[in-house]
Amino acid sequence: MTVHGECLAEFSGVRDALAANIDSGDELGASIVVDIDGRRVVDIWGGYRDVDRTTEWTEDTITNVWSTTKTVTSLAALMLIDRGLLDPYSPVAQYWPEFAAAGKDQIEVRHLMSHTSGVSGWDRPFSTEDMYDWDLATSRLAAQAPWWDSRTTSGYHAADQGHLIGELVRRVTGKPLRSFVADEMAGPLGADFQIGADEKDWHRIADVVPPPPPAADTYTDPLKIRRRTFLGPLVQAASANTPAWRRADMGAVNGHGNARSVARILSVISRGGEVDGVRLLGPDVIDLIFLEQSNGIDLALGVPLRFGIGFGLPQLDTVPYIPDERICFWGGWGGSLIVMHPDIRMTFSYMMNKMGPGIIGSDRAEQYLRATYAAGG
């Protein structure tokens, strides 16, 4: 299978790895971008949009990127911090008074951004369809009690972080999250990314291909945080291919884009807060990202993780292929990955439609990122 796009010779290992994975069937369709200080040294795509391999993945193909969406949502919050509209150390209830209910009056904005708020999902009963109803979903989160006490212990806010941060965005700007992303981020940067997907773009979406079923003990944990998080609600991967999902505003899970557009937006972190004359952040706010908020076994994912304010930080036990340097990152269910490395002004972005097992990274993401660093990225 031909891999399309541009790739500098020294990064040919990235192109070769993508081509090999498409040929073997490990990859269906995907795109990869490596941006170094505004120069795309890798900008490639290949494979197919559909499991029958009848429609090629093209330059303008987009797909649901799952929790990679969270990185864009966190960037929105950081922009509001930069503008003085949010204070990461202020209680959420200062901006969203209803959130103070059930003992949440001392939970701060940074706790939502670092997965330490104790509100990592919805109290059941709660369905995937309920997530589509913004007022219902946010009012339920505001009313419920936190599931654990420590604000320095993370429990991955798998499906609800976009509603939590998105409601803050709405309260201080008057705009729904998806509109803020369109008007203040994707539009000014010319990035082909959106929360949800406009119907006019559905024809170029690569449907996601669900991952293998989880192991039988996936939702077993002593504190039941994992079970409560991933069953509140239990999201089926195929839901991402439905009209209702695409019409919803869910900043944790339903962003649509490709490697180029995600890199375009997130490279603002690697490039000091400004991309081609569009300033989104100041350096002081970028520094906030790297202030460690938690470091230990995540109560929802059950693996060691480190979180700064808005992003994951390197944790060699869990993601050994991300160097233990001043790097921030996150990815999406099934394997997509976005990595920002400000010290070398490098951004790595990988988006695909065939989901692998697990929440954090994948064998394919590891392969491409290792090839990037081997080339000097």
Short mmCIF file of all heavy atoms in Angstrom, two decimals, residues 97-163:
data_model
loop_
_atom_site.label_atom_id
_atom_site.label_comp_id
_atom_site.label_asym_id
_atom_site.label_seq_id
_atom_site.Cartn_x
_atom_site.Cartn_y
_atom_site.Cartn_z
N PRO A 97 -21.60 27.58 40.33
CA PRO A 97 -22.02 27.45 41.73
C PRO A 97 -22.67 26.11 42.07
O PRO A 97 -22.46 25.59 43.18
CB PRO A 97 -23.00 28.62 41.91
CG PRO A 97 -22.55 29.63 40.90
CD PRO A 97 -22.08 28.83 39.72
N GLU A 98 -23.43 25.56 41.16
CA GLU A 98 -24.12 24.29 41.44
C GLU A 98 -23.14 23.16 41.73
O GLU A 98 -23.50 22.17 42.38
CB GLU A 98 -25.02 23.91 40.25
CG GLU A 98 -26.12 24.92 39.95
CD GLU A 98 -25.70 26.00 38.97
OE1 GLU A 98 -24.49 26.30 38.86
OE2 GLU A 98 -26.60 26.56 38.31
N PHE A 99 -21.90 23.29 41.26
CA PHE A 99 -20.92 22.22 41.44
C PHE A 99 -20.52 22.05 42.90
O PHE A 99 -19.96 21.02 43.27
CB PHE A 99 -19.68 22.51 40.59
CG PHE A 99 -18.73 21.35 40.47
CD1 PHE A 99 -18.97 20.32 39.58
CD2 PHE A 99 -17.59 21.29 41.27
CE1 PHE A 99 -18.10 19.24 39.48
CE2 PHE A 99 -16.71 20.21 41.18
CZ PHE A 99 -16.96 19.19 40.28
N ALA A 100 -20.81 23.01 43.74
CA ALA A 100 -20.44 22.93 45.16
C ALA A 100 -21.23 21.86 45.91
O ALA A 100 -20.87 21.50 47.05
CB ALA A 100 -20.65 24.29 45.82
N ALA A 101 -22.28 21.33 45.31
CA ALA A 101 -23.15 20.35 45.99
C ALA A 101 -22.37 19.11 46.39
O ALA A 101 -21.35 18.76 45.80
CB ALA A 101 -24.31 19.98 45.08
N ALA A 102 -22.86 18.43 47.42
CA ALA A 102 -22.39 17.10 47.84
C ALA A 102 -20.90 17.09 48.19
O ALA A 102 -20.20 16.12 47.89
CB ALA A 102 -22.71 16.06 46.76
N GLY A 103 -20.43 18.17 48.81
CA GLY A 103 -19.05 18.18 49.29
C GLY A 103 -18.01 18.52 48.26
O GLY A 103 -16.82 18.25 48.47
N LYS A 104 -18.39 19.16 47.14
CA LYS A 104 -17.42 19.48 46.09
C LYS A 104 -17.00 20.96 46.10
O LYS A 104 -16.41 21.44 45.15
CB LYS A 104 -17.98 19.11 44.71
CG LYS A 104 -18.33 17.62 44.56
CD LYS A 104 -18.53 17.21 43.12
CE LYS A 104 -19.62 17.97 42.40
NZ LYS A 104 -20.94 17.92 43.05
N ASP A 105 -17.30 21.67 47.18
CA ASP A 105 -17.06 23.10 47.21
C ASP A 105 -15.57 23.46 47.18
O ASP A 105 -15.21 24.57 46.79
CB ASP A 105 -17.71 23.74 48.45
CG ASP A 105 -17.30 23.06 49.74
OD1 ASP A 105 -17.53 21.84 49.87
OD2 ASP A 105 -16.73 23.74 50.61
N GLN A 106 -14.69 22.53 47.59
CA GLN A 106 -13.25 22.82 47.60
C GLN A 106 -12.51 22.22 46.41
O GLN A 106 -11.29 22.33 46.32
CB GLN A 106 -12.63 22.32 48.90
CG GLN A 106 -13.17 23.01 50.15
CD GLN A 106 -12.99 24.52 50.10
OE1 GLN A 106 -11.88 25.01 49.85
NE2 GLN A 106 -14.07 25.26 50.32
N ILE A 107 -13.22 21.58 45.51
CA ILE A 107 -12.57 21.04 44.31
C ILE A 107 -12.22 22.19 43.38
O ILE A 107 -13.06 23.03 43.06
CB ILE A 107 -13.48 20.01 43.62
CG1 ILE A 107 -13.62 18.77 44.50
CG2 ILE A 107 -12.92 19.63 42.24
CD1 ILE A 107 -14.60 17.74 43.98
N GLU A 108 -10.95 22.23 42.94
CA GLU A 108 -10.45 23.36 42.17
C GLU A 108 -10.43 23.03 40.67
O GLU A 108 -10.48 21.87 40.27
CB GLU A 108 -9.05 23.73 42.65
CG GLU A 108 -9.02 24.14 44.11
CD GLU A 108 -7.60 24.32 44.65
OE1 GLU A 108 -6.62 24.24 43.87
OE2 GLU A 108 -7.47 24.54 45.88
N VAL A 109 -10.29 24.08 39.88
CA VAL A 109 -10.24 23.92 38.43
C VAL A 109 -9.13 22.95 38.03
O VAL A 109 -9.32 22.08 37.17
CB VAL A 109 -10.03 25.29 37.76
CG1 VAL A 109 -9.77 25.14 36.25
CG2 VAL A 109 -11.24 26.20 38.00
N ARG A 110 -7.97 23.05 38.65
CA ARG A 110 -6.85 22.18 38.29
C ARG A 110 -7.16 20.71 38.56
O ARG A 110 -6.62 19.83 37.91
CB ARG A 110 -5.58 22.59 39.04
CG ARG A 110 -5.66 22.44 40.55
CD ARG A 110 -4.48 23.08 41.25
NE ARG A 110 -4.64 23.11 42.69
CZ ARG A 110 -3.96 22.34 43.54
NH1 ARG A 110 -3.06 21.49 43.08
NH2 ARG A 110 -4.18 22.44 44.83
N HIS A 111 -8.05 20.45 39.53
CA HIS A 111 -8.40 19.06 39.83
C HIS A 111 -9.20 18.44 38.68
O HIS A 111 -9.05 17.24 38.39
CB HIS A 111 -9.17 18.98 41.13
CG HIS A 111 -8.40 19.46 42.32
ND1 HIS A 111 -8.96 20.21 43.34
CD2 HIS A 111 -7.09 19.34 42.64
CE1 HIS A 111 -8.04 20.50 44.23
NE2 HIS A 111 -6.89 19.99 43.83
N LEU A 112 -10.06 19.23 38.04
CA LEU A 112 -10.75 18.72 36.85
C LEU A 112 -9.76 18.44 35.73
O LEU A 112 -9.86 17.44 35.02
CB LEU A 112 -11.79 19.74 36.35
CG LEU A 112 -12.91 20.17 37.28
CD1 LEU A 112 -13.88 21.06 36.52
CD2 LEU A 112 -13.63 18.99 37.90
N MET A 113 -8.78 19.32 35.60
CA MET A 113 -7.82 19.22 34.49
C MET A 113 -6.80 18.11 34.70
O MET A 113 -6.19 17.64 33.73
CB MET A 113 -7.11 20.56 34.30
CG MET A 113 -8.06 21.69 33.92
SD MET A 113 -7.24 23.29 33.77
CE MET A 113 -6.24 23.02 32.29
N SER A 114 -6.60 17.68 35.95
CA SER A 114 -5.59 16.66 36.25
C SER A 114 -6.20 15.33 36.68
O SER A 114 -5.50 14.45 37.19
CB SER A 114 -4.63 17.16 37.33
OG SER A 114 -5.33 17.45 38.53
N HIS A 115 -7.52 15.19 36.50
CA HIS A 115 -8.20 13.91 36.79
C HIS A 115 -8.15 13.56 38.27
O HIS A 115 -8.21 12.38 38.64
CB HIS A 115 -7.59 12.77 35.96
CG HIS A 115 -7.59 13.02 34.49
ND1 HIS A 115 -8.63 12.65 33.66
CD2 HIS A 115 -6.69 13.62 33.68
CE1 HIS A 115 -8.37 13.01 32.41
NE2 HIS A 115 -7.19 13.61 32.41
N THR A 116 -8.09 14.56 39.14
CA THR A 116 -8.01 14.30 40.58
C THR A 116 -9.24 14.80 41.33
O THR A 116 -9.24 14.82 42.56
CB THR A 116 -6.75 14.95 41.19
OG1 THR A 116 -6.81 16.37 41.00
CG2 THR A 116 -5.48 14.41 40.55
N SER A 117 -10.29 15.16 40.63
CA SER A 117 -11.45 15.78 41.29
C SER A 117 -12.29 14.77 42.07
O SER A 117 -13.08 15.17 42.93
CB SER A 117 -12.34 16.48 40.26
OG SER A 117 -13.09 15.55 39.50
N GLY A 118 -12.17 13.49 41.74
CA GLY A 118 -13.06 12.49 42.32
C GLY A 118 -14.34 12.30 41.55
O GLY A 118 -15.17 11.46 41.90
N VAL A 119 -14.52 13.05 40.46
CA VAL A 119 -15.73 12.95 39.64
C VAL A 119 -15.31 12.38 38.28
O VAL A 119 -15.25 13.08 37.28
CB VAL A 119 -16.41 14.33 39.49
CG1 VAL A 119 -17.77 14.18 38.78
CG2 VAL A 119 -16.60 14.99 40.85
N SER A 120 -15.03 11.09 38.26
CA SER A 120 -14.46 10.47 37.06
C SER A 120 -15.50 9.81 36.17
O SER A 120 -15.15 9.17 35.17
CB SER A 120 -13.39 9.44 37.45
OG SER A 120 -13.93 8.42 38.25
N GLY A 121 -16.75 9.95 36.50
CA GLY A 121 -17.83 9.39 35.70
C GLY A 121 -19.16 9.80 36.31
O GLY A 121 -19.20 10.58 37.28
N TRP A 122 -20.23 9.29 35.77
CA TRP A 122 -21.56 9.62 36.27
C TRP A 122 -22.08 8.50 37.17
O TRP A 122 -21.89 7.31 36.87
CB TRP A 122 -22.52 9.79 35.11
CG TRP A 122 -22.41 11.08 34.36
CD1 TRP A 122 -23.07 12.25 34.64
CD2 TRP A 122 -21.63 11.34 33.18
NE1 TRP A 122 -22.75 13.21 33.71
CE2 TRP A 122 -21.86 12.69 32.81
CE3 TRP A 122 -20.75 10.57 32.41
CZ2 TRP A 122 -21.25 13.28 31.71
CZ3 TRP A 122 -20.14 11.16 31.31
CH2 TRP A 122 -20.39 12.50 30.97
N ASP A 123 -22.74 8.89 38.25
CA ASP A 123 -23.47 7.90 39.04
C ASP A 123 -24.52 7.24 38.17
O ASP A 123 -25.23 7.91 37.41
CB ASP A 123 -24.17 8.57 40.24
CG ASP A 123 -23.20 8.96 41.35
OD1 ASP A 123 -22.12 8.35 41.44
OD2 ASP A 123 -23.54 9.88 42.13
N ARG A 124 -24.59 5.92 38.26
CA ARG A 124 -25.58 5.18 37.48
C ARG A 124 -26.95 5.24 38.15
O ARG A 124 -27.04 5.41 39.36
CB ARG A 124 -25.12 3.73 37.30
CG ARG A 124 -23.91 3.60 36.39
CD ARG A 124 -23.49 2.16 36.21
NE ARG A 124 -22.79 1.67 37.40
CZ ARG A 124 -22.53 0.40 37.64
NH1 ARG A 124 -22.93 -0.53 36.78
NH2 ARG A 124 -21.89 0.04 38.72
N PRO A 125 -28.03 5.09 37.38
CA PRO A 125 -28.05 4.79 35.93
C PRO A 125 -27.75 6.03 35.09
O PRO A 125 -28.22 7.13 35.39
CB PRO A 125 -29.48 4.31 35.70
CG PRO A 125 -30.29 5.01 36.75
CD PRO A 125 -29.40 5.11 37.95
N PHE A 126 -26.96 5.80 34.04
CA PHE A 126 -26.60 6.87 33.12
C PHE A 126 -26.14 6.21 31.83
O PHE A 126 -25.30 5.31 31.86
CB PHE A 126 -25.48 7.75 33.70
CG PHE A 126 -25.31 9.05 32.97
CD1 PHE A 126 -26.12 10.14 33.25
CD2 PHE A 126 -24.34 9.18 31.99
CE1 PHE A 126 -25.97 11.35 32.58
CE2 PHE A 126 -24.17 10.38 31.31
CZ PHE A 126 -24.99 11.47 31.60
N SER A 127 -26.68 6.66 30.70
CA SER A 127 -26.42 5.99 29.43
C SER A 127 -25.54 6.84 28.53
O SER A 127 -25.35 8.04 28.76
CB SER A 127 -27.75 5.71 28.71
OG SER A 127 -28.34 6.93 28.29
N THR A 128 -25.02 6.23 27.48
CA THR A 128 -24.27 6.98 26.48
C THR A 128 -25.14 8.08 25.89
O THR A 128 -24.68 9.21 25.67
CB THR A 128 -23.77 6.04 25.38
OG1 THR A 128 -22.89 5.06 25.95
CG2 THR A 128 -23.03 6.81 24.29
N GLU A 129 -26.41 7.76 25.65
CA GLU A 129 -27.32 8.76 25.07
C GLU A 129 -27.52 9.94 26.02
O GLU A 129 -27.70 11.08 25.56
CB GLU A 129 -28.67 8.12 24.75
CG GLU A 129 -28.64 7.15 23.58
CD GLU A 129 -27.90 5.84 23.88
OE1 GLU A 129 -27.83 5.46 25.08
OE2 GLU A 129 -27.40 5.21 22.93
N ASP A 130 -27.44 9.70 27.32
CA ASP A 130 -27.55 10.81 28.28
C ASP A 130 -26.38 11.78 28.15
O ASP A 130 -26.53 12.97 28.44
CB ASP A 130 -27.60 10.27 29.71
CG ASP A 130 -28.88 9.54 30.04
OD1 ASP A 130 -29.92 9.85 29.41
OD2 ASP A 130 -28.86 8.65 30.92
N MET A 131 -25.23 11.29 27.70
CA MET A 131 -24.08 12.17 27.50
C MET A 131 -24.35 13.22 26.43
O MET A 131 -23.75 14.30 26.44
CB MET A 131 -22.84 11.35 27.09
CG MET A 131 -22.26 10.52 28.21
SD MET A 131 -20.97 9.36 27.62
CE MET A 131 -19.94 10.40 26.62
N TYR A 132 -25.23 12.91 25.50
CA TYR A 132 -25.51 13.83 24.40
C TYR A 132 -26.34 15.04 24.86
O TYR A 132 -26.40 16.04 24.15
CB TYR A 132 -26.27 13.11 23.28
CG TYR A 132 -25.65 11.84 22.75
CD1 TYR A 132 -26.44 10.88 22.12
CD2 TYR A 132 -24.29 11.57 22.88
CE1 TYR A 132 -25.89 9.70 21.61
CE2 TYR A 132 -23.73 10.40 22.39
CZ TYR A 132 -24.54 9.47 21.77
OH TYR A 132 -24.00 8.30 21.28
N ASP A 133 -26.99 14.93 26.00
CA ASP A 133 -27.85 15.99 26.53
C ASP A 133 -27.01 16.83 27.50
O ASP A 133 -26.79 16.44 28.65
CB ASP A 133 -29.05 15.36 27.24
CG ASP A 133 -30.05 16.38 27.77
OD1 ASP A 133 -29.63 17.52 28.10
OD2 ASP A 133 -31.23 16.04 27.88
N TRP A 134 -26.52 17.98 27.04
CA TRP A 134 -25.56 18.76 27.82
C TRP A 134 -26.12 19.16 29.18
O TRP A 134 -25.45 19.00 30.21
CB TRP A 134 -25.14 20.01 27.04
CG TRP A 134 -24.07 20.78 27.74
CD1 TRP A 134 -24.21 21.82 28.62
CD2 TRP A 134 -22.66 20.51 27.68
NE1 TRP A 134 -22.99 22.22 29.09
CE2 TRP A 134 -22.02 21.44 28.52
CE3 TRP A 134 -21.89 19.57 26.97
CZ2 TRP A 134 -20.63 21.46 28.68
CZ3 TRP A 134 -20.51 19.60 27.13
CH2 TRP A 134 -19.90 20.54 27.98
N ASP A 135 -27.32 19.69 29.20
CA ASP A 135 -27.87 20.18 30.47
C ASP A 135 -28.07 19.04 31.46
O ASP A 135 -27.77 19.18 32.65
CB ASP A 135 -29.19 20.92 30.23
CG ASP A 135 -28.98 22.23 29.50
OD1 ASP A 135 -27.86 22.77 29.54
OD2 ASP A 135 -29.96 22.74 28.90
N LEU A 136 -28.58 17.92 30.98
CA LEU A 136 -28.75 16.76 31.86
C LEU A 136 -27.40 16.27 32.38
O LEU A 136 -27.23 16.06 33.59
CB LEU A 136 -29.45 15.63 31.10
CG LEU A 136 -29.51 14.29 31.83
CD1 LEU A 136 -30.37 14.38 33.08
CD2 LEU A 136 -29.99 13.17 30.90
N ALA A 137 -26.45 16.10 31.47
CA ALA A 137 -25.16 15.52 31.86
C ALA A 137 -24.42 16.41 32.85
O ALA A 137 -23.85 15.91 33.84
CB ALA A 137 -24.31 15.28 30.61
N THR A 138 -24.41 17.72 32.62
CA THR A 138 -23.67 18.59 33.53
C THR A 138 -24.39 18.77 34.86
O THR A 138 -23.74 18.87 35.90
CB THR A 138 -23.41 19.96 32.87
OG1 THR A 138 -24.65 20.53 32.42
CG2 THR A 138 -22.45 19.82 31.70
N SER A 139 -25.70 18.80 34.84
CA SER A 139 -26.43 18.93 36.11
C SER A 139 -26.25 17.69 36.98
O SER A 139 -26.15 17.79 38.22
CB SER A 139 -27.91 19.21 35.86
OG SER A 139 -28.55 18.12 35.20
N ARG A 140 -26.16 16.53 36.35
CA ARG A 140 -25.92 15.30 37.11
C ARG A 140 -24.53 15.33 37.75
O ARG A 140 -24.35 14.92 38.90
CB ARG A 140 -26.07 14.09 36.19
CG ARG A 140 -27.52 13.76 35.81
CD ARG A 140 -28.25 13.01 36.93
NE ARG A 140 -27.58 11.77 37.26
CZ ARG A 140 -27.83 10.59 36.66
NH1 ARG A 140 -28.74 10.52 35.70
NH2 ARG A 140 -27.18 9.49 37.03
N LEU A 141 -23.53 15.79 37.01
CA LEU A 141 -22.18 15.88 37.56
C LEU A 141 -22.13 16.88 38.70
O LEU A 141 -21.45 16.65 39.72
CB LEU A 141 -21.18 16.27 36.47
CG LEU A 141 -20.93 15.23 35.38
CD1 LEU A 141 -20.11 15.83 34.25
CD2 LEU A 141 -20.24 13.98 35.94
N ALA A 142 -22.83 18.00 38.57
CA ALA A 142 -22.83 19.01 39.61
C ALA A 142 -23.46 18.49 40.89
O ALA A 142 -23.05 18.89 42.00
CB ALA A 142 -23.58 20.26 39.12
N ALA A 143 -24.43 17.60 40.77
CA ALA A 143 -25.18 17.15 41.94
C ALA A 143 -24.51 16.02 42.71
O ALA A 143 -24.76 15.84 43.91
CB ALA A 143 -26.58 16.71 41.51
N GLN A 144 -23.66 15.24 42.06
CA GLN A 144 -23.16 14.03 42.71
C GLN A 144 -21.95 14.30 43.59
O GLN A 144 -21.25 15.31 43.44
CB GLN A 144 -22.85 12.95 41.67
CG GLN A 144 -21.62 13.18 40.82
CD GLN A 144 -21.49 12.10 39.74
OE1 GLN A 144 -22.42 11.83 38.98
NE2 GLN A 144 -20.33 11.48 39.67
N ALA A 145 -21.69 13.36 44.50
CA ALA A 145 -20.55 13.46 45.41
C ALA A 145 -19.31 12.88 44.75
O ALA A 145 -19.41 12.00 43.89
CB ALA A 145 -20.85 12.70 46.70
N PRO A 146 -18.10 13.35 45.14
CA PRO A 146 -16.88 12.76 44.60
C PRO A 146 -16.73 11.31 45.07
O PRO A 146 -17.20 10.94 46.15
CB PRO A 146 -15.77 13.65 45.16
CG PRO A 146 -16.37 14.33 46.34
CD PRO A 146 -17.82 14.47 46.06
N TRP A 147 -16.07 10.50 44.28
CA TRP A 147 -15.94 9.08 44.56
C TRP A 147 -14.71 8.74 45.41
O TRP A 147 -14.57 7.62 45.86
CB TRP A 147 -15.88 8.29 43.25
CG TRP A 147 -17.17 8.31 42.48
CD1 TRP A 147 -18.40 8.70 42.94
CD2 TRP A 147 -17.37 7.92 41.11
NE1 TRP A 147 -19.34 8.57 41.94
CE2 TRP A 147 -18.74 8.10 40.81
CE3 TRP A 147 -16.51 7.45 40.12
CZ2 TRP A 147 -19.27 7.81 39.56
CZ3 TRP A 147 -17.04 7.17 38.86
CH2 TRP A 147 -18.41 7.34 38.59
N TRP A 148 -13.80 9.66 45.58
CA TRP A 148 -12.67 9.47 46.50
C TRP A 148 -12.26 10.83 47.04
O TRP A 148 -12.63 11.88 46.51
CB TRP A 148 -11.50 8.73 45.84
CG TRP A 148 -10.77 9.47 44.76
CD1 TRP A 148 -9.65 10.24 44.89
CD2 TRP A 148 -11.10 9.49 43.37
NE1 TRP A 148 -9.27 10.75 43.67
CE2 TRP A 148 -10.14 10.31 42.72
CE3 TRP A 148 -12.11 8.91 42.60
CZ2 TRP A 148 -10.16 10.56 41.35
CZ3 TRP A 148 -12.14 9.16 41.24
CH2 TRP A 148 -11.18 9.96 40.61
N ASP A 149 -11.45 10.83 48.11
CA ASP A 149 -11.18 12.05 48.86
C ASP A 149 -9.90 12.76 48.44
O ASP A 149 -9.84 13.99 48.48
CB ASP A 149 -11.09 11.74 50.36
CG ASP A 149 -12.43 11.27 50.92
OD1 ASP A 149 -13.47 11.71 50.40
OD2 ASP A 149 -12.42 10.48 51.88
N SER A 150 -8.86 12.03 48.09
CA SER A 150 -7.56 12.66 47.86
C SER A 150 -7.53 13.44 46.56
O SER A 150 -7.80 12.91 45.49
CB SER A 150 -6.45 11.60 47.82
OG SER A 150 -5.24 12.18 47.38
N ARG A 151 -7.15 14.71 46.64
CA ARG A 151 -7.03 15.54 45.44
C ARG A 151 -5.65 15.42 44.81
O ARG A 151 -5.35 16.12 43.84
CB ARG A 151 -7.34 17.00 45.76
CG ARG A 151 -8.73 17.25 46.35
CD ARG A 151 -9.83 17.19 45.29
NE ARG A 151 -10.18 15.85 44.87
CZ ARG A 151 -11.04 15.04 45.49
NH1 ARG A 151 -11.62 15.44 46.60
NH2 ARG A 151 -11.30 13.83 45.04
N THR A 152 -4.80 14.56 45.36
CA THR A 152 -3.51 14.28 44.74
C THR A 152 -3.46 12.87 44.17
O THR A 152 -2.39 12.40 43.78
CB THR A 152 -2.36 14.48 45.74
OG1 THR A 152 -2.56 13.62 46.86
CG2 THR A 152 -2.30 15.93 46.21
N THR A 153 -4.60 12.20 44.10
CA THR A 153 -4.71 10.87 43.52
C THR A 153 -5.59 10.96 42.28
O THR A 153 -6.71 11.47 42.35
CB THR A 153 -5.33 9.88 44.52
OG1 THR A 153 -4.52 9.83 45.69
CG2 THR A 153 -5.43 8.49 43.91
N SER A 154 -5.08 10.47 41.16
CA SER A 154 -5.86 10.56 39.92
C SER A 154 -6.78 9.36 39.75
O SER A 154 -6.49 8.26 40.21
CB SER A 154 -4.94 10.67 38.70
OG SER A 154 -4.28 9.46 38.43
N GLY A 155 -7.86 9.62 39.08
CA GLY A 155 -8.78 8.60 38.60
C GLY A 155 -9.27 9.11 37.25
O GLY A 155 -10.02 10.09 37.19
N TYR A 156 -8.82 8.53 36.21
CA TYR A 156 -9.00 9.05 34.85
C TYR A 156 -10.46 9.42 34.58
O TYR A 156 -11.36 8.59 34.70
CB TYR A 156 -8.51 8.00 33.85
CG TYR A 156 -8.53 8.45 32.42
CD1 TYR A 156 -7.99 9.66 32.04
CD2 TYR A 156 -9.08 7.63 31.43
CE1 TYR A 156 -7.99 10.06 30.72
CE2 TYR A 156 -9.08 8.01 30.10
CZ TYR A 156 -8.54 9.24 29.75
OH TYR A 156 -8.54 9.64 28.43
N HIS A 157 -10.69 10.68 34.19
CA HIS A 157 -12.04 11.18 33.90
C HIS A 157 -12.37 10.83 32.45
O HIS A 157 -12.40 11.68 31.55
CB HIS A 157 -12.09 12.69 34.12
CG HIS A 157 -11.89 13.12 35.55
ND1 HIS A 157 -11.35 12.32 36.52
CD2 HIS A 157 -12.18 14.31 36.17
CE1 HIS A 157 -11.31 12.98 37.67
NE2 HIS A 157 -11.81 14.18 37.48
N ALA A 158 -12.65 9.56 32.23
CA ALA A 158 -12.65 8.99 30.89
C ALA A 158 -13.64 9.65 29.95
O ALA A 158 -13.28 10.09 28.85
CB ALA A 158 -12.92 7.49 30.97
N ALA A 159 -14.90 9.70 30.32
CA ALA A 159 -15.93 10.20 29.40
C ALA A 159 -16.48 11.56 29.79
O ALA A 159 -17.12 12.21 28.97
CB ALA A 159 -17.08 9.20 29.32
N ASP A 160 -16.23 12.00 31.03
CA ASP A 160 -16.92 13.20 31.50
C ASP A 160 -16.05 14.45 31.58
O ASP A 160 -16.56 15.53 31.85
CB ASP A 160 -17.56 12.94 32.86
CG ASP A 160 -16.56 12.78 34.00
OD1 ASP A 160 -15.39 12.43 33.72
OD2 ASP A 160 -16.95 12.96 35.17
N GLN A 161 -14.74 14.34 31.34
CA GLN A 161 -13.90 15.52 31.52
C GLN A 161 -14.30 16.65 30.58
O GLN A 161 -14.22 17.83 30.94
CB GLN A 161 -12.41 15.17 31.33
CG GLN A 161 -11.50 16.31 31.82
CD GLN A 161 -10.05 16.10 31.46
OE1 GLN A 161 -9.72 15.69 30.35
NE2 GLN A 161 -9.17 16.38 32.40
N GLY A 162 -14.74 16.32 29.39
CA GLY A 162 -15.17 17.35 28.45
C GLY A 162 -16.39 18.10 28.92
O GLY A 162 -16.54 19.30 28.67
N HIS A 163 -17.30 17.41 29.62
CA HIS A 163 -18.46 18.09 30.17
C HIS A 163 -18.05 18.97 31.35
O HIS A 163 -18.56 20.08 31.50
CB HIS A 163 -19.51 17.06 30.62
CG HIS A 163 -20.17 16.33 29.49
ND1 HIS A 163 -19.57 15.26 28.85
CD2 HIS A 163 -21.39 16.51 28.90
CE1 HIS A 163 -20.40 14.82 27.91
NE2 HIS A 163 -21.50 15.55 27.91
#
